[in-house]
Amino acid sequence: MARAFLVVMDSVGIGGAPDAGRYFNGELPDLGANTLAHIAQACAAGRAEQGRRGPLHLPALDGLGLGAAVALASSVPCPDLGGTLRVGRWGAATETSRGKDTPSGHWELAGLPVPWDWRYFPDQNPAFSDELVAHVCAAAGTDGILGNCHASGTAIIETYGAEHIQSGQPICYTSADSVFQIAAHEESFGLDRLLTLCEAVAPYLHQMKVGRVIARPFVGTAKDGFQRTANRRDYAIMPPAPILTNWVQDAGQRVHGIGKIGDIFSMQGIDTLKKGNDAELMHYLHDAVAEAEEGSLTFANFVEFDSLYGHRRDISGYACALEWFDGEIAKLLPELRADDLLILTADHGNDPSWPGTDHTREQVPVLMAGVGIGPLGCVGFADVAATVAAHLGVTATGPGKPVLHG
């Protein structure tokens, strides 16, 4: 019986979204943004030499068709990719959902285009209404909040960390995503109290169509500096209709989540979940290829391309992460069984060469191993879910169509 492994390379876009002109970083539209091609250009020009050297080297991904997918999506030159296809099928996917964020991309990859417009907070100070602030204060038992603005998560705890410890007020901030984030010190405020607060305010924010409430715990002192911990927790809107994970589970087959998948889908249709940093998640993915049951789906997200390098506009770091990931995929491919399907894709772009710190609206690669060699053409995000469902022999209820035939 077949197995499927759906792996999201968070933010590894390949440019060319037809509606990119309607999405912005500050006042600059995303037209021309191309995460992968611009990283490859920087590497070829010797502008990505921190921790690595020379042209971007992704032989495993390129063998699956990565360079060909970039050329399909965009005319932006992508040096050192586009070699001979050896092992995979390749295509480029376009999103119909109106966000360029993690939930929008993942929901649609799972067969459910987002049926509403997300609520975004204005980039002004204050960013939140008096009513929302009052609701958070009542849930927190405080007489105010700190922040109330768009901010980088690392920068805002440096700005307000000491005042937060002194006053006990939670640090509340947002970004260009549909998100409400609450940072608090694990010791002085308390981790359990922070998680309880986020859980309490999440339904109110979800009614506003804010996609996620995120708990951002940190530790440290003003003297020695503050550091975020690994105890982040996301409280996301539950998908309003069945998704790929539900389709598989409802057919009596197992679904294994790796990384942020549980948070993104509010654990809908997920039997087991493994979390950690990307290195740990790759270990779990290798384990899944070795051990997952026949008929199962393993759905993984590797977030550090986005969180550590894209938003921080770190081209060298992003290139290093891609080359590490490529090496791991090279090890993984021979481990696949004869009837396995591996799909590597992405949820949006985050061009580290682009002005600003927001995601970029791009097409994404769709690379498949285990189903021959050759082009898939231009597909939709929802087609990925339909293809996985068809491979596993389960009924799909979303709008996508399988891209493999026979």
Side-chain angles (χ1 to χ4, degrees), residues 4-7 258 274 278-292 298-300 302 325 328-329 332 335-336 342 344:
F5 301 87
L6 176 53
V7 178
I258 296 176
K274 298 287 189 179
D278 276 10
E280 293 168 328
L281 300 183
M282 184 59 73
H283 176 76
Y284 298 139
L285 180 58
H286 280 276
D287 286 347
V289 171
E291 301 169 2
T298 299
F299 198 165
F302 287 83
F325 185 85
E328 292 297 325
I329 294 301
L332 191 72
E335 300 172 2
L336 296 171
L342 170 67
L344 303 173

Side-chain angles (χ1 to χ4, degrees), residues 315-333:
I315 297 175
S316 293
Y318 209 133
C320 284
L322 286 167
E323 290 171 337
W324 164 79
F325 185 85
D326 185 86
E328 292 297 325
I329 294 301
K331 300 173 189 174
L332 191 72
L333 290 173

Side-chain angles (χ1 to χ4, degrees), residues 196-217:
T196 299
L197 170 60
C198 291
E199 185 174 0
V201 302
Y204 183 87
L205 284 142
H206 292 166
Q207 287 182 351
M208 298 168 60
K209 293 297 184 283
V210 175
R212 289 176 292 166
V213 175
I214 304 180
R216 291 287 197 175

Side-chain angles (χ1 to χ4, degrees), residues 135-228:
H135 187 83
V136 174
C137 289
T142 61
D143 58 2
I145 65 171
L146 301 172
N148 200 345
C149 60
H150 281 236
S152 157
T154 52
I156 202 165
I157 61 175
E158 291 301 321
T159 301
Y160 291 105
E163 186 177 354
H164 160 72
I165 292 172
Q166 182 179 17
S167 69
Q169 296 178 349
I171 304 169
C172 301
Y173 63 104
T174 188
S175 70
D177 285 353
S178 179
V179 64
F180 186 85
Q181 304 188 74
I182 306 178
H185 199 279
E186 284 197 0
E187 297 166 2
S188 66
F189 191 89
L191 177 59
D192 288 343
R193 183 184 173 196
L194 172 61
L195 300 180
T196 299
L197 170 60
C198 291
E199 185 174 0
V201 302
Y204 183 87
L205 284 142
H206 292 166
Q207 287 182 351
M208 298 168 60
K209 293 297 184 283
V210 175
R212 289 176 292 166
V213 175
I214 304 180
R216 291 287 197 175
F218 64 95
V219 295
T221 65
K223 178 182 177 181
D224 298 327
F226 297 109
Q227 304 86 36
R228 296 197 296 193

Side-chain angles (χ1 to χ4, degrees), residues 13-16 32-45 47 56 66-82 351 353:
I14 54 175
N34 191 316
T35 299
L36 192 63
H38 288 158
I39 292 170
Q41 289 175 10
C43 291
R47 293 184 282 106
L56 186 64
L66 181 58
V70 178
L72 176 63
S74 169
S75 61
V76 176
C78 190
D80 304 300
L81 293 178
D351 188 339
S353 73

